[in-house]
């Protein structure tokens, strides 16, 4: 009994000592600034290193006990983030700063969730933002968010050892070359192994194929006015046939091989006996390769990265949409100026500080400002230079994701999904005609909604 | 004395309400909780379904117009009607049949079987889905492993052919089978033996006894099971969410799952989601009113 009592007293004393010295048991320093304004930041929880990075940034910022600002980050998982934001807004307690995707930014503006940050950014800071990013955060000539990163959603990953074994000498750049590669690979792969991993289901087939749609058809589902469907463009039929060819030949799995589906599809490429020989994957797959293989150089050396094959074989144009995240200041924030101060501190004041995120991310994301890009160009990364070049090149030609109602984009994804799940039940022409007609009818229904929006970046001339 | 009590007109007013205070006091917590957590939110939801989410301006049926012009939501309604029809028929027929088996077998064995049957009812839909996913998973589930071991191509249960529908219906049926069987079994035990004896004397065989004695006597049990099954099936969410995610091509999408996804979609005005929920509520309430009317009329006949 005495021993237990002594132990309890010792633990209490130790805890008190830690608290008095301002250290938590985890070693994280806590800075307390009396009377400071708390800036609440809602952040999506990604990988642990990304979470640590943001926490460290906030901690570093909070070290200054004279600026009257203390930042508090609250992380939410993919499943809870949107709910948390909705609930906070409903209660009038929206965070001062929050993350959103480029694709969702316009809805945030429409719904008055965020404010323009023009007045908080210096001219130099605005000029420093890369044009491709600036376009994604600008509406009605105002910048509404600071772009944090860019993630091309579709790139091509392959196993060099399997290519060599199958006698594939050239990395496929066109669909025809990809079919040839699949033919050759199917001869050497065993049951349970597949030639290529592609996005599955309408949801993935929608956002992953934005780049492919742009490359093949010269646009996305709707034209610039958001009033006319472009699905009659022959390129959409070609993409559908691409999916039909791959899936009817059993070259791709019809169900996800990994728990997160397309997000971590690259895992299936990284095993010693991989389930996939090639796969489409987002740029984040580069970091995933390092994490999954625990930086096993033998496997990493066996993996190649390239832009996705295109119909014509020309990969210099758009091959991907740029996903990624940006930071907004809430309309409900009462301390927008102080939130902006933290925003500037993170992104516009010190390129070296901002670049650390991209370094820790194994260059799997593209930077959003010229100064950070320049810094990274001079940095000696452990990631192969050709991989980094592919990410930057694909991002530079990437397009923003569609901002018209998601249901409409999804109808195009459903056409491609039809090819995946019905390819064994009928001829391509019949399947495509039915899928196209359904999609067109559904798009018309969606467009007939009484509150169907207009494109803020289109001049309707009235 | 008794006649005095039965004559309401002569009852003193004070006597009539002498327990009113304690009665109201006892009812108050329940009424208060219902008001706070059910009726006030419901009223707020109805009001908000007629408002613009951002401005609060009344837009009347605009949100309803949005949700009924959402192809996935309308398809989900069609799906759930199909699922409900299959689940209700399968559940009623098989539960009724198995209840007969339980009644016929040895009491000790029947007790053990009842426990085994009831165990799935204690499992949540999410856990049941995980169990089925372990079996059906394409990447390395039990069936995939067996098929690959036998050098047969694995089946993509979540996407191939009509398998996705089976993937949703079978676990739902499995979860409810024990409860429905026990309800039917209890109903069967309630049928007086004398009815069967009278029927036998009249020369009725097994099927005639079932049609003219068992089924009419258990009509209310059937209606109760029917209401539970229809209401439960219309609100299907966890199993399609976990196993198929509503796909492929919205084949297993249900209205509840659609609204659940819609609530989590920051792009969608939440008042549209609320309007969709109100629509589902109207459908379920209508079905329940019809079913309760049926029960009521049965009781009247009794």
């Amino acid at each position: 009994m005495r021993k237990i009592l002594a132990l309890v007293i010792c633990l209490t004393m130790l805890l008190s000592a830690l608290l008095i010295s301002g250290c938590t048991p985890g070693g994280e320093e806590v800075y307390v600034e009396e009377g400071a304004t708390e800036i609440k930041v809602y952040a999506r929880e990604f990988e642990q290193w990304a979470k640590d990075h943001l926490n460290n940034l906030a901690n570093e910022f909070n070290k200054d006990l004279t600026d009257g600002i203390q930042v508090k980050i609250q992380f939410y998982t993919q499943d809870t983030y949107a709910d948390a934001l909705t609930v906070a807004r409903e209660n009038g307690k929206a965070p001062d700063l929050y993350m959103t995707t480029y694709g969702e930014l316009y809805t945030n503006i429409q719904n008055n969730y965020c404010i323009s940050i023009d007045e908080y950014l210096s001219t130099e800071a605005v000029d420093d933002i890369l044009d491709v990013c600036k376009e994604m955060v600008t509406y009605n000539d105002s910048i509404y968010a600071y772009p944090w990163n860019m993630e091309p959603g579709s790139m091509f990953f392959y196993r060099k050892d399997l290519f060599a074994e199958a006698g594939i000498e050239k990395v496929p750049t066109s669909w025809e070359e990809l079919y040839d590669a699949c033919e050759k690979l199917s001869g050497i792969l065993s049951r349970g192994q597949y030639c290529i991993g592609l996005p599955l289901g309408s949801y993935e087939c929608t956002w992953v194929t934005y780049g492919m749609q742009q490359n093949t058809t010269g646009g996305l589902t709707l034209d610039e006015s958001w009033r006319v469907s472009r699905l009659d463009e022959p390129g959409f039929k070609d993409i559908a046939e691409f999916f039909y060819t791959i899936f009817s030949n059993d070259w791709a799995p019809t169900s996800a091989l990994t728990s997160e589906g397309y997000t971590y599809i690259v895992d299936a490429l990284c095993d010693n006996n991989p389930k996939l020989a090639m796969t489409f994957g987002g740029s984040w797959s580069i970091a995933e390769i390092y994490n999954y293989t625990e930086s096993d150089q033998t496997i990493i050396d066996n993996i190649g990265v390239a832009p996705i094959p295109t119909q014509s074989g020309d990969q210099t144009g758009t091959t991907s949409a740029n996903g990624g995240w940006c930071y907004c200041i809430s309309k409900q924030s009462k301390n927008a100026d102080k939130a902006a101060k933290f925003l500037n501190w993170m992104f516009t004041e010190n390129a070296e500080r901002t670049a650390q995120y991209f370094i820790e991310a194994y260059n799997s994301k593209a930077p959003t400002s010229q100064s950070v890009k320049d810094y990274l160009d001079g940095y000696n990364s452990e990631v192969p230079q050709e991989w980094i070049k592919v990410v930057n090149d694909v991002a530079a030609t990437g397009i923003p994701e569609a901002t018209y109602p998601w249901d409409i984009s999804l109808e195009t994804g459903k056409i491609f999904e039809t090819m995946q799940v019905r390819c064994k039940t009928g001829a391509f022409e019949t399947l495509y005609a039915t899928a196209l007609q359904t999609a067109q009818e559904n798009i018309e229904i969606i467009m007939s909604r009484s509150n169907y929006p207009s494109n803020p970046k289109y001049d309707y001339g009235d | 004395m008794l006649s005095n009590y039965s004559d309401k007109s002569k009852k003193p007013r004070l006597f009539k309400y002498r327990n009113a205070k304690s009665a109201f006091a006892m009812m108050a917590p329940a009424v208060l909780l219902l008001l706070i957590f059910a009726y006030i939110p419901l009223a707020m939801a109805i009001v908000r379904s007629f408002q613009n989410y951002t401005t609060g301006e009344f837009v009347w049926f605009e949100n309803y117009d949005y949700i009924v012009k959402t192809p996935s939501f309308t398809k989900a309604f069609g799906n759930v009607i199909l699922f409900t029809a299959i689940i209700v028929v399968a559940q009623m027929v098989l539960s009724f049949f198995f209840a007969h088996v339980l009644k016929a077998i040895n009491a000790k064995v029947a007790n053990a079987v009842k426990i085994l049957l009831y165990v799935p009812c204690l499992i949540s839909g999410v856990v049941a889905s995980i169990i089925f996913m372990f079996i059906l998973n394409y990447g390395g589930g039990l069936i995939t492993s067996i098929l690959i071991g036998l050098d047969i191509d694995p089946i993509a249960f979540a996407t191939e052919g009509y398998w996705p529908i089976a993937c949703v219906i079978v676990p739902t049926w499995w979860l409810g089978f024990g409860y429905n069987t026990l309800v039917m079994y209890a109903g069967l035990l309630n049928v007086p033996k004398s009815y069967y004896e009278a029927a036998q004397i009249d020369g009725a065989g097994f099927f005639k006894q079932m049609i003219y004695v068992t089924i009419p006597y258990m009509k209310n049990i059937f209606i109760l099971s029917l209401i539970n099954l229809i209401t439960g099936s219309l609100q299907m969410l966890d199993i399609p969410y976990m196993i198929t995610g509503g796909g492929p091509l919205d084949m297993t999408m249900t209205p509840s799952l659609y609204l659940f996804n819609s609530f989590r979609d920051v792009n969608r005005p939440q008042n549209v989601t609320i309007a969709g929920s109100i629509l589902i509520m109207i459908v379920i309430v209508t079905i329940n009113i019809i079913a309760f009317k049926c029960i009521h009329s049965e009781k009247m006949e009794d």
Side-chain angles (χ1 to χ4, degrees):
Chain A
M1 189 65 192
R2 275 185 187 175
K3 278 183 183 174
I4 294 170
L5 195 66
L7 190 67
V8 170
I9 292 169
C10 284
L11 282 172
T12 313
M13 285 172 70
L14 180 66
L15 200 63
S16 308
L18 286 169
L19 285 172
I20 290 164
S21 67
C23 296
T24 63
E28 187 184 310
E29 291 170 274
V30 175
Y31 299 96
V32 181
E33 185 179 348
E34 289 295 331
T37 305
E38 184 181 276
I39 296 298
K40 203 190 290 174
V41 183
Y42 274 19
R44 255 290 310 278
E45 192 173 317
F46 300 104
E47 302 89 341
Q48 186 58 43
W49 65 262
K51 190 176 173 181
D52 293 343
H53 176 83
L54 190 54
N55 270 330
N56 290 339
L57 272 182
N59 219 27
E60 190 67 25
F61 182 82
N62 288 342
K63 264 185 190 174
D64 182 352
L65 300 180
T66 59
D67 60 359
I69 308 170
Q70 287 287 290
V71 170
K72 188 183 174 193
I73 315 269
Q74 281 177 247
F75 288 95
Y76 294 93
T77 60
Q78 183 180 358
D79 287 340
T80 56
Y81 187 63
D83 299 355
L85 272 174
T86 305
V87 170
R89 284 176 190 137
E90 289 285 310
N91 292 319
K93 290 178 181 171
D96 300 285
L97 268 178
Y98 68 95
M99 290 179 189
T100 192
T101 62
Y102 299 114
E104 290 166 351
L105 177 60
Y106 178 55
T107 315
N108 280 257
I109 298 166
Q110 271 186 314
N111 290 336
N112 272 326
Y113 294 157
C114 59
I115 56 168
S116 162
I117 59 170
D118 281 339
E119 64 175 293
Y120 303 115
L121 294 177
S122 64
T123 316
E124 296 77 43
V126 173
D127 291 343
D128 193 32
I129 300 173
L130 294 174
D131 287 343
V132 67
C133 300
K134 213 180 288 175
E135 192 199 336
M136 293 196 287
V137 293
T138 304
Y139 290 89
N140 301 322
D141 299 326
S142 284
I143 295 177
Y144 278 88
Y146 195 90
W148 176 30
N149 59 32
M150 269 195 302
E151 295 177 302
S154 49
M155 286 170 35
F156 184 69
F157 298 80
Y158 59 96
R159 284 287 291 239
K160 292 176 184 171
D161 52 345
L162 292 175
F163 268 32
E165 197 182 333
I168 303 164
E169 287 164 359
K170 178 178 173 286
V171 180
T173 55
S174 69
W175 292 351
E176 284 305 323
E177 287 175 4
L178 186 70
Y179 300 154
D180 286 343
C182 288
E183 282 281 4
K184 288 177 180 164
L185 283 165
S186 56
I188 62 155
L189 297 177
S190 52
R191 202 176 290 282
Q193 287 185 304
Y194 297 90
C195 304
I196 184 164
L198 288 179
L200 294 170
S202 50
Y203 186 87
E204 288 179 0
C205 280
T206 301
W207 63 270
V208 176
T209 63
Y210 280 143
M212 197 186 247
Q213 290 175 39
Q214 179 70 35
N215 189 288
T216 317
T217 76
L220 301 179
T221 308
L222 298 184
D223 74 355
E224 285 297 300
S225 72
W226 292 7
R227 296 283 185 273
V228 181
S229 162
R230 296 183 63 256
L231 286 183
D232 284 331
E233 290 284 332
F236 285 102
K237 189 176 180 183
D238 297 336
I239 300 173
E241 195 164 13
F242 167 80
F243 277 99
Y244 184 89
T245 309
I246 297 279
F247 283 91
S248 59
N249 282 294
D250 291 325
W251 288 332
T254 52
S255 248
L257 295 173
T258 52
S259 60
E260 297 277 344
Y262 185 79
T263 308
Y264 295 130
I265 195 171
V266 81
D267 291 355
L269 193 86
C270 294
D271 292 319
N272 283 325
N273 190 26
K275 287 180 180 166
L276 292 173
M278 309 179 275
T279 186
F280 280 31
S283 66
W284 57 88
S285 302
I286 290 177
E288 180 59 15
I289 290 170
Y290 279 88
N291 289 331
Y292 187 81
T293 62
E294 293 174 348
S295 300
D296 182 338
Q297 208 56 44
T298 323
I299 295 176
I300 290 166
D301 289 344
N302 245 331
I303 293 173
V305 180
I308 59 165
T310 63
Q311 186 180 28
S312 63
D314 176 14
Q315 294 171 308
T316 54
T318 300
T319 54
S320 173
N322 283 325
W325 294 79
C326 50
Y327 276 90
C328 299
I329 297 178
S330 284
K331 175 101 173 170
Q332 288 180 5
S333 171
K334 293 183 179 73
N335 300 295
D337 53 337
K338 288 176 177 166
K341 198 168 179 188
F342 178 58
L343 199 67
N344 274 307
W345 183 87
M346 277 200 298
F347 297 123
T348 68
E349 290 175 5
N350 185 331
E352 187 181 350
R353 181 191 298 144
T354 310
Q356 291 312 308
Y357 167 76
F358 298 94
I359 294 166
E360 287 179 44
Y362 293 98
N363 297 79
S364 63
K365 297 155 206 306
T368 58
S369 64
Q370 191 58 48
S371 56
V372 175
K373 189 171 182 294
D374 291 343
Y375 179 87
L376 289 169
D377 285 344
Y379 183 82
N380 189 19
S381 170
E382 63 178 297
V383 179
Q385 281 306 308
E386 63 266 28
W387 291 17
I388 299 173
K389 186 176 181 314
V390 171
V391 173
N392 288 335
D393 288 351
V394 172
T397 55
I399 53 161
E401 295 180 334
T403 43
Y404 43 75
W406 166 252
D407 320 47
I408 287 189
S409 302
L410 198 62
E411 290 302 323
T412 308
K414 283 180 188 172
I415 296 179
F416 305 147
E417 187 186 12
T418 306
M419 302 302 132
Q420 295 176 352
V421 298
R422 301 267 158 81
C423 59
K424 300 282 177 65
T425 63
F428 170 72
E429 291 293 339
T430 322
L431 275 182
Y432 181 73
T434 315
L436 177 65
Q437 192 188 344
T438 309
Q440 296 281 39
E441 284 170 5
N442 286 343
I443 288 172
E444 273 179 36
I445 291 171
I446 296 164
M447 281 183 180
S448 72
R449 286 174 188 156
S450 53
N451 58 356
Y452 183 75
S454 301
N455 183 356
K457 295 186 176 181
Y458 182 77
D459 181 11
Y460 289 90
D462 49 33
Chain B
M1 192 68 184
L2 197 66
S3 62
N4 277 347
Y5 282 142
S6 60
D7 188 356
K8 286 180 186 172
S9 61
K10 288 180 184 172
K11 203 182 285 176
R13 193 174 172 76
L14 194 64
F15 173 81
K16 198 175 173 185
Y17 297 110
R18 72 176 179 187
N19 292 325
K21 277 184 187 168
S22 54
F24 284 132
M26 280 189 273
M27 278 165 59
V31 171
L32 205 65
L33 287 173
L34 271 173
L35 268 176
I36 295 171
F37 294 110
Y39 297 119
I40 293 174
L42 177 64
M44 284 168 70
I46 292 170
V47 171
R48 295 203 51 178
S49 73
F50 293 114
Q51 287 178 317
N52 178 295
Y53 181 67
T54 317
T55 61
E57 176 196 353
F58 275 91
V59 291
W60 302 113
F61 288 98
E62 203 173 83
N63 294 320
Y64 290 91
D65 173 72
Y66 187 115
I67 196 75
V68 297
K69 286 178 179 168
T70 301
S72 294
F73 184 71
T74 45
K75 189 168 192 314
F77 256 105
N79 291 342
V80 86
I81 289 168
L82 172 74
F83 298 163
T84 305
I86 297 173
I87 290 168
V88 166
V89 171
Q91 200 72 273
M92 298 289 278
V93 172
L94 291 171
S95 299
F96 187 61
F97 170 76
F98 212 81
H100 272 87
V101 174
L102 274 182
K103 198 183 164 197
I105 59 177
N106 172 290
K108 278 185 183 172
V109 179
N111 281 339
V113 174
K114 271 185 275 178
I115 292 168
L116 284 175
L117 273 179
Y118 198 71
V119 167
C121 301
L122 306 174
I123 297 172
S124 74
V126 175
V127 175
S129 306
I130 292 170
I131 294 170
F132 275 85
M133 279 162 70
F134 279 135
I135 299 168
L136 304 172
N137 187 279
Y138 187 65
L142 185 66
I143 295 179
T144 300
S145 306
I146 293 169
L147 290 175
I148 288 181
L150 296 170
D151 204 23
I152 299 170
D153 280 331
I155 301 167
F157 288 102
T159 55
E160 220 171 284
Y162 291 104
W163 282 114
I165 294 180
C167 285
V168 168
I169 286 177
V170 172
T172 311
W173 169 82
W174 180 70
L175 280 176
F177 181 63
Y179 170 79
N180 282 292
T181 304
L182 291 188
V183 169
M184 296 273 185
Y185 178 64
L188 272 182
L189 293 181
N190 261 346
V191 183
K193 278 186 180 170
S194 56
Y195 285 24
Y196 290 113
E197 287 163 4
Q200 270 173 350
I201 291 165
D202 289 342
F206 177 76
F207 284 107
K208 281 202 170 171
Q209 283 179 36
M210 188 186 286
I211 291 164
Y212 293 109
V213 178
T214 314
I215 292 178
Y217 201 86
M218 287 179 65
K219 207 177 244 178
N220 282 346
I221 296 281
F222 288 142
I223 292 171
L224 173 76
S225 292
L226 209 61
I227 295 169
N228 284 341
L229 282 170
I230 292 174
T231 311
S233 303
L234 285 173
Q235 296 182 72
M236 273 170 84
L237 165 72
D238 42 7
I239 290 173
Y241 171 69
M242 291 289 293
I243 298 183
T244 61
L249 292 167
D250 291 335
M251 192 190 272
T252 55
M253 181 63 75
T254 63
S256 298
L257 175 56
Y258 181 83
L259 294 176
F260 177 70
N261 288 338
S262 182
F263 176 69
R264 291 144 50 91
D265 180 358
V266 285
N267 276 322
R268 202 171 287 273
Q270 293 305 321
N271 287 6
V272 170
T273 312
I274 293 171
S277 310
I278 302 284
L279 281 182
I280 295 182
M281 190 192 76
I282 291 169
V283 172
I284 292 174
V285 167
T286 311
I287 290 170
N288 276 284
I289 288 173
I290 295 168
F292 278 113
K293 285 261 182 214
C294 290
I295 293 177
H296 190 62
S297 61
E298 286 301 316
K299 280 189 174 169
M300 289 295 106
E301 281 171 24
D302 290 345

